Amino acid sequence: MRILIIEDEIDLADILAQGLRRQGYAVDIASDGEQGCESAMVNDYDLLILDLNLPGMDGLEVCRRLRAGKPHLLILILTARNRPFDKITGLDLGADDYLVKPFDFGELVARIRALLRRDLRVRDTILQCGDLKLDPASRTVWHGDRRLELTRKEFGVLEYLMRHPGEVISQEELLEHVWDAEADPFSNTVRVHIHSLRRKLGDDQTPPKIIETIAGLGYRLVSSS
Ligand code: CA
């Protein structure tokens, strides 16, 4: 899952980004409204953390524009403004949640998880697909009775595939949602991570039975695996 933070307090943005990366999210930062808006329009983020007091374009204006251009983007406003007027305006402009600074990082992460669940119409807190079970909160994965030790990116790839079981997911889509803006679109990093995931799943026979390769299109998690 990939998150954009639009926040002009660089120290806060960095701390947030580090914390969220430790939770396994891919995170990019924009430090003003214009840059943030542009970045959110060209990239496919799952969720936006938006400050309201920004230089140049105000956060509420960013929210209004992105709601119009990116109807499915989840927007969480994170701001020192706590007047009911700002909350009401933000939510009316289409923000999905509102958290006032100073905030507790654990609460922020719990709200992010709740928003991602809501968006994907996945009510269960644990994702399940065949013999695979993945818990986004505790970041654990089970294959049958076996607990898998996955790296952060392997976990991200598997989580994304498990949120779209049976769908063909392209390399580009995985890069968009699991890696941040630093990722090189021409590298073979997705292939390498799929390969190591299959190895850990014991899915290294030919052809693989859990994560299928769909030639020229991408990968598909077989839902009855
Ligand atoms: Ca600010």
Side-chain angles (χ1 to χ4, degrees):
M1 299 286 115
R2 186 171 171 194
I3 296 176
L4 174 66
I5 300 172
I6 307 183
E7 169 64 73
D8 60 322
E9 289 167 56
I10 300 302
D11 291 348
L12 174 61
D14 282 342
I15 290 170
L16 264 180
Q18 280 170 28
L20 290 171
R21 285 184 190 124
R22 272 198 293 276
Q23 296 290 316
Y25 297 105
V27 184
D28 296 322
I29 299 173
S31 54
D32 68 61
E34 277 87 7
Q35 187 205 340
C37 234
E38 197 184 308
S39 181
M41 289 307 285
V42 297
N43 297 299
D44 207 356
Y45 290 103
D46 299 289
L47 186 136
L48 168 66
I49 296 176
L50 176 65
D51 180 29
L52 291 187
N53 293 321
L54 293 166
M57 195 192 295
D58 177 75
L60 289 174
E61 176 60 16
V62 173
C63 187
R64 196 185 60 76
R65 291 195 187 188
L66 288 179
R67 193 36 85 223
K70 285 269 173 174
H72 300 294
L73 176 66
L74 292 164
I75 301 177
L76 188 156
I77 291 177
L78 183 61
T79 178
R81 290 192 204 166
N82 62 358
R83 295 179 304 166
F85 170 79
D86 291 310
K87 288 189 194 173
I88 293 166
T89 311
L91 294 169
D92 278 349
L93 284 173
D96 299 283
D97 202 356
Y98 197 107
L99 191 57
V100 174
K101 296 175 190 167
F103 59 95
D104 175 75
F105 185 72
E107 182 180 357
L108 174 69
V109 174
R111 285 184 187 228
I112 290 172
R113 279 199 301 268
L115 285 173
L116 292 170
R117 272 206 300 278
R118 188 168 97 196
D119 172 55
L120 297 156
R121 292 167 294 276
V122 178
R123 287 287 157 197
D124 295 335
T125 51
I126 297 192
L127 303 174
Q128 193 150 12
C129 188
D131 292 341
L132 279 172
K133 242 190 281 180
L134 180 146
D135 181 357
S138 64
R139 307 198 62 75
T140 46
V141 180
W142 296 82
H143 185 216
D145 310 332
R146 200 162 55 92
R147 183 170 164 178
L148 303 182
E149 296 296 331
L150 302 185
T151 65
R152 225 178 271 175
K153 288 292 179 231
E154 288 163 0
F155 185 94
V157 168
L158 186 63
E159 180 183 11
Y160 195 81
L161 292 173
M162 287 183 75
R163 287 184 188 272
H164 303 86
E167 288 177 34
V168 179
I169 306 294
S170 68
Q171 289 212 34
E172 292 73 28
E173 191 172 344
L174 285 171
L175 267 181
E176 276 279 339
H177 290 272
V178 184
W179 275 263
D180 59 25
E182 309 291 301
D184 173 4
F186 300 106
S187 73
N188 61 355
T189 181
V190 172
R191 213 148 43 86
V192 169
H193 282 82
I194 292 277
H195 180 80
S196 59
L197 249 182
R198 280 177 176 150
R199 199 168 36 75
K200 291 184 181 179
L201 286 167
D203 190 28
D204 35 15
Q205 66 276 56
T206 315
K209 295 198 166 46
I210 303 176
I211 303 175
E212 289 180 335
T213 298
I214 310 296
L217 294 175
Y219 302 99
R220 178 166 61 196
L221 185 69
V222 178
S223 37
S224 61
S225 63

